[in-house]
Each structure stands twice: as structure tokens, then as C-alpha cells.
Amino acid sequence: MTDPQLVARAQEGDLPAFEELVKKYQREIYGLAYRLVLDAEEAKDLTQQAFMQAFVHIRGFRQQAQFRTWLFRIAINQCYNYLKNRKKFGDPVDCDEYVLVGEDSPEEELVAQEDHRRLYAALERLPAKQRAVITLKLEQGLSYEEISKVLGGTAGAARVNYCQALKTLKKYMQNEDDYEVAVRPYPKMVTRISRR
Amino acid sequence: MKWRCALIQRWLPAYPDGDLPSFWQAVVRSHLEKCPACREELAGLEAVVSSIKAAPRHEPDQAFWDNFNRELHLKLAQSVPEPPPARGFRIPYYLLGAPALAGLLLWLAFGYLNPERPGMPPQPQLSQEQKALEQTPAIPRLAAPAPAPEKSEAVVMVSQNGQDLHGDDDLDMDGDLDSTLAGMTETEREAFLKKVRQHEKDGSCTRESLIVSWA
């Protein structure tokens, strides 16, 4: 059954039809929320809240856009509200959470882990909107037109936002080591003293 | 960095996917052929993109999704979809001030400033003769100045005749004793004062009422 048919049945109050939509999109929504809030439990809660909001307001959905785009927009708004309430864009991320068991040699795995650690640390420093643009473009594969429908604005603005986000991310990844030294100078100094 | 490189590098992240407008796609392509710095910048951006795409995603196991769906089903069963919002023509609340102001201005223009508004008394209908008189050019007339009214004389004449006056305008009703006495002869003044003293002794009336009654 296609999305418009499922949506039409859900608008009539058919809960199994809506749950079918949930099963179809829950991984994408969870991945987006996880990338934005960088916390597995919060991402799960935010995904459930997004589906709840979608179900409550599904009768107001006029099917002028795709259901998937509408769902992304709800999820991103939930994440924005969460980040706004937390007053900062992400707690310190434990990068060990991201490490998956690979089939490479131990040296290659160590290098890959270091690359991923730098990537996630740089992603954490990005503003939430730029993180959302990168996630929607590179991980969810949305076009600029669809990104503009999710985040608001025009397609050109989404493209400019993506370019800016990618350049900032590259700069952060290049300067990640310098940033760590600048942010945490005190523990290194203590370590140096204790070695003496 | 040259200004052209700065301009080109603004568009570089969108170049590999071909998302740029055709004009800019051609400009960037021709620039990259002869600029090693921009090629290096593009290689760095592509490395970032490939690292993001290659980064492991957090994929929960099936038990997580079973638990997720069970919790969500309980929440959805307790919630009710809201009715669809009204789709009729509605003015946003922030635009309600303009119609209100326009209505107020219309009311001022046609209601308050119009002399024929409902609150005003109706103007008397002029007859055709009066209208004709108003339309004829006004002829200047010579008129004698009206004689000034002599109130003191009126008081004296009333007292001499001993009759009541019909018009209130001729009487000195303000109760000022000095102004009343100023217009009297000696005999009238003595008679008046005598009467005043007698009534004040009796307490039958006040001085002001006596002045009026005397007049």
C-alpha cells in the first residue's frame, strides 16, 4: 500500500495503517534524531514524540508534500526544541558509542576510529541547523528542494547552508587537535606536572 | 587566495553532485582545470563527504525496535487525532488591526464629521420663498443701533406704578442691594430700606427675596 493510501486511512483513525507508516520510517527518523542530539535514549524519546505529534495532527496534513518530508520536519522541530531546552548543542559525546566492530586489521581500525572521533567531534561543534542539513543531504539523500521543505526557506538557501556546513566541518576536522588543546589546556598541564 | 578562488570555493561543495546552476557548473569546471589550490580544496571537501558517508551509523538491534513499537503503540492508543483545522478564509490576527483602523476612519469620515449624522437634530426645512431669499444677493441695509436697555429705570418705573412686570428681563434679579438702591430716588430708597429692616427683624424673608418682591 502506498503512502497516500496509508495516510488517508490513518486520517480516518485507522491505527494499524499509521503503525505501518511508523515501521516504514522509524529508522530514518531515529537516525536523524540521533545525529542531531547525539544521544541514543533521547533520540528514541524524540522519535516517539515525533510519531505521536504526527498521529495527533495527521488530519491537518493535506498531502501537498510527501509524508516523509512532513515527518522529517516534525522530527527536526522536536530535536530543535530539545536542544533549545538543553541550552547547548550537545553534551560531550562518548565516541566509543560509534565504534563498530570492523573486519580490518587492528592498525586500520585504530586509524578509522581516530578519523571517526574527529568527525563526530567536528559534527558536535556544528550548529544544529547545519548538522541537520548535512544529515538530510548525505545520510537521508534528500534534494535541496526537499531540504528546504523540511527546514524552511528556499532550495538555494539550503544549498548555501550545505556548502557552508561542509566547509566549516572540513575546517573543524583539520583544526580538531588544536581545538582540543585550546579547550582543555588544564588537564594536559596537570598530566605534565604529575609526570615530573 | 585570489578573489576568483574565493568566489569559486563558495560553490565547491555542491559541484561534485552537479547541483549547481549550469552556468556556475561550467565556470567551476573551467576554473578547476587551471587552479591547483581549488582542486586541493575540492579534494578535501570530497574526503569529508566520503568520511561522513562511510561513518558507521547507530543501528539498534531488533529488540530495541520491538520495545520501541510496543511503547509507541500504547501511547498512540491513548491519543486521539485532532480534528482538521478550518480551511476557510481567515485573516491572521496580526492583520486585524488594519480593518479595525479602516472601520474607525470610515466611521469618523461618514458618521462623526457628517452634519446629517443620526445624533444631530434635524435641520428645519426651508420653504421655497426662504430658499429664494437665500439665493438672492444680500442687500446691505442701514439699521439704527439698538438703544441700550436701562435696567435701573425699569426698576424705578415698576416701583412707582406699583405693578408687576411681565418680563423677567427688566427686573434686577441678582439681589444686589447697592445696584438696586442706585436707581432709586430718596423717598423710594427710604421706603425700601425701612421695609428691609422691618422684614429682617421679623425674619419673614431674606434681603434678596425682598429686592425681588419690591421690584
Side-chain angles (χ1 to χ4, degrees), chain A residues 159-160 163, chain B residues 3-16 18-32:
Chain A
R159 186 179 59 222
V160 169
C163 293
Chain B
W3 66 269
R4 186 178 289 275
C5 291
L7 188 66
I8 292 295
Q9 287 182 10
R10 285 180 56 196
W11 300 97
L12 273 184
Y15 172 73
D19 292 327
L20 290 177
S22 56
F23 170 76
W24 279 106
Q25 196 80 18
V27 168
V28 171
R29 192 188 312 117
S30 64
H31 180 81
L32 283 175

Side-chain angles (χ1 to χ4, degrees), chain A residues 59-115:
Chain A
R59 287 182 180 164
F61 176 58
R62 287 176 282 179
Q63 303 211 28
Q64 291 178 349
Q66 289 182 18
F67 179 74
R68 179 170 174 250
T69 311
W70 185 64
L71 207 55
F72 273 137
R73 185 169 189 139
I74 292 175
I76 281 183
N77 285 338
Q78 294 284 332
C79 293
Y80 280 173
N81 289 338
Y82 168 78
L83 293 172
K84 201 189 297 177
N85 290 336
R86 211 169 60 175
K87 297 292 182 187
K88 58 179 180 178
F89 295 149
D91 289 326
V93 185
D94 185 7
C95 296
D96 295 337
E97 287 182 20
Y98 297 98
V99 176
L100 299 181
V101 177
E103 296 175 352
D104 299 332
S105 65
E107 281 186 8
E108 288 175 345
E109 273 191 22
L110 275 177
V111 171
Q113 283 181 15
E114 179 60 20
D115 286 346

Side-chain angles (χ1 to χ4, degrees), chain B residues 14-194:
Chain B
Y15 172 73
D17 294 336
D19 292 327
L20 290 177
S22 56
F23 170 76
W24 279 106
Q25 196 80 18
V27 168
V28 171
R29 192 188 312 117
S30 64
H31 180 81
L32 283 175
E33 287 173 359
K34 53 191 175 187
C35 180
C38 288
R39 278 201 298 271
E40 189 181 347
E41 176 74 12
L42 179 64
L45 290 172
E46 284 177 338
V48 172
V49 170
S50 60
S51 69
I52 292 173
K53 286 182 176 175
R57 294 190 191 183
H58 184 74
E59 294 286 350
D61 53 0
Q62 189 57 39
F64 173 88
W65 290 118
D66 292 342
N67 186 31
F68 177 91
N69 287 329
R70 199 179 312 117
E71 288 179 6
L72 186 60
H73 176 77
L74 291 175
K75 290 180 182 176
L76 290 176
Q78 291 171 355
S79 60
V80 179
E82 286 184 353
R87 301 287 182 206
F89 176 73
R90 286 187 303 172
I91 299 177
Y93 69 92
Y94 51 83
L95 292 180
L96 287 177
L101 186 62
L104 183 64
L105 289 175
L106 281 174
W107 178 77
L108 281 174
F110 294 104
Y112 186 74
L113 300 178
N114 189 6
E116 295 181 354
R117 65 195 170 103
M120 295 286 285
Q123 286 190 344
Q125 295 291 330
L126 297 177
S127 62
Q128 290 187 352
E129 294 177 355
Q130 288 172 329
K131 285 179 183 174
L133 279 175
E134 282 185 354
Q135 287 173 359
T136 53
I139 302 169
R141 293 185 223 172
L142 291 174
E150 296 178 0
K151 294 178 183 179
S152 58
E153 283 186 6
V155 172
V156 171
M157 287 181 67
V158 166
S159 61
Q160 285 175 348
N161 297 338
Q163 294 174 354
D164 290 337
L165 282 176
H166 299 290
D168 289 339
D169 294 338
D170 296 333
L171 292 176
D172 189 6
M173 295 295 288
D174 57 357
D176 190 1
L177 181 60
D178 294 332
S179 60
T180 308
L181 290 175
M184 297 181 179
T185 58
E186 286 291 330
T187 53
E188 289 169 354
R189 193 177 302 157
E190 284 175 5
F192 176 74
L193 290 175
K194 188 178 175 182

Side-chain angles (χ1 to χ4, degrees), chain A:
Chain A
M1 196 174 286
T2 59
D3 278 3
Q5 291 170 339
L6 288 171
V7 168
R9 282 177 56 187
Q11 283 176 335
E12 294 167 0
D14 189 355
L15 186 56
F18 186 77
E19 284 180 336
E20 200 168 333
L21 288 168
V22 169
K23 284 176 186 169
K24 194 171 179 181
Y25 293 115
Q26 59 189 4
R27 291 173 194 274
E28 289 182 19
I29 299 295
Y30 177 81
L32 177 66
Y34 185 73
R35 186 64 84 210
L36 285 178
V37 302
L38 302 172
D39 187 315
E41 277 302 311
E42 294 297 341
K44 179 187 168 189
D45 289 345
L46 289 169
T47 307
Q48 288 187 343
Q49 285 178 23
F51 281 117
M52 286 279 295
Q53 290 291 316
F55 182 64
V56 168
H57 298 287
I58 195 162
R59 287 182 180 164
F61 176 58
R62 287 176 282 179
Q63 303 211 28
Q64 291 178 349
Q66 289 182 18
F67 179 74
R68 179 170 174 250
T69 311
W70 185 64
L71 207 55
F72 273 137
R73 185 169 189 139
I74 292 175
I76 281 183
N77 285 338
Q78 294 284 332
C79 293
Y80 280 173
N81 289 338
Y82 168 78
L83 293 172
K84 201 189 297 177
N85 290 336
R86 211 169 60 175
K87 297 292 182 187
K88 58 179 180 178
F89 295 149
D91 289 326
V93 185
D94 185 7
C95 296
D96 295 337
E97 287 182 20
Y98 297 98
V99 176
L100 299 181
V101 177
E103 296 175 352
D104 299 332
S105 65
E107 281 186 8
E108 288 175 345
E109 273 191 22
L110 275 177
V111 171
Q113 283 181 15
E114 179 60 20
D115 286 346
H116 294 157
R117 188 197 63 76
R118 288 170 61 188
L119 171 66
Y120 294 126
L123 271 175
E124 186 193 355
R125 289 171 64 189
L126 276 183
K129 188 163 189 176
Q130 293 189 358
R131 218 184 305 168
V133 169
I134 283 186
T135 307
L136 291 172
K137 173 73 179 163
L138 296 181
E139 294 187 353
Q140 309 295 339
L142 267 62
S143 65
Y144 291 124
E145 192 69 33
E146 290 170 324
I147 292 174
S148 68
K149 283 177 184 168
V150 172
L151 297 178
T154 60
R159 186 179 59 222
V160 169
N161 220 344
Y162 169 73
C163 293
Q164 188 64 39
L166 211 57
K167 289 176 69 176
T168 311
L169 192 64
K170 177 174 172 284
K171 190 174 74 178
Y172 284 169
M173 285 179 71
Q174 283 176 349
N175 302 331
E176 184 57 33
D177 294 334
D178 301 338
Y179 175 74
E180 281 199 353
V181 171
V183 167
R184 306 187 188 88
Y186 182 68
K188 291 208 170 188
M189 191 182 296
V190 169
T191 312
R192 210 172 295 149
I193 290 170
S194 66
R195 280 177 187 169
R196 288 174 189 173

